[in-house]
Amino acid sequence: MDTKTLGERLRLIRKHFGISQQQLAKVTNLTQPAISRLENGEEVYASALLAVLGFYRGKVNFDRLFDPDLDTSDKSQLYCSSQELRQRFDHQLAVIAHDLEERLEQITGLRDQI
């Protein structure tokens, strides 16, 4: 995918969420001109692209965002459904719970050694 196509898609997403370039720049610690360059397909630092993608993480289906065959006339394809978001949340919650259980076992094992 070329940078112009990606920029156009990122502009669609920003407008879908009803935020201005200035607002997006503020929450991503970028400048409004950097957002404009990104959306116009001009050269930007990779960190700028990553900051914008990080902001949209969980809201946008990145598999579809980078799909060269995406039909942007059906904008709903770009966004995560509430079911997808719920599944991702449940997965993250399970990972956290598993990690906490492992840490608790380690702490319990250390306590038993004392």
Side-chain angles (χ1 to χ4, degrees):
M1 168 184 308
D2 62 24
T3 57
K4 183 172 172 59
T5 301
L6 178 60
E8 290 169 356
R9 290 178 183 185
L10 291 174
R11 178 180 289 117
L12 282 172
I13 292 166
R14 178 181 55 76
K15 288 183 175 186
H16 170 80
F17 288 112
I19 58 177
S20 68
Q21 287 183 345
Q22 188 65 37
Q23 291 168 319
L24 181 58
K26 186 174 183 176
V27 298
T28 56
N29 268 344
L30 299 171
T31 63
Q32 181 275 325
I35 300 296
S36 178
R37 285 191 304 274
L38 179 63
E39 291 182 356
N40 287 319
E42 299 171 15
E43 283 189 28
V44 296
Y45 289 110
S47 58
L49 175 60
L50 292 173
V52 170
L53 292 176
F55 175 75
Y56 292 129
R57 194 181 98 219
K59 301 172 186 84
V60 174
N61 185 321
F62 288 147
D63 291 340
R64 294 184 197 139
L65 175 66
F66 292 103
D67 180 353
D69 298 322
L70 175 72
D71 176 13
T72 55
S73 65
D74 181 6
K75 296 173 190 158
S76 67
Q77 292 182 33
L78 284 170
Y79 309 108
C80 293
S81 68
S82 58
Q83 182 180 0
E84 287 174 308
L85 291 174
R86 197 171 314 116
Q87 287 173 343
R88 288 180 184 181
F89 177 79
D90 289 346
H91 174 72
Q92 289 295 333
L93 193 57
V95 168
I96 291 168
H98 178 73
D99 185 50
L100 288 173
E101 287 175 7
E102 285 182 349
R103 290 178 188 207
L104 183 59
E105 287 176 13
Q106 290 174 348
I107 292 169
T108 302
L110 289 172
R111 187 191 70 204
D112 292 344
Q113 293 176 4
I114 297 177

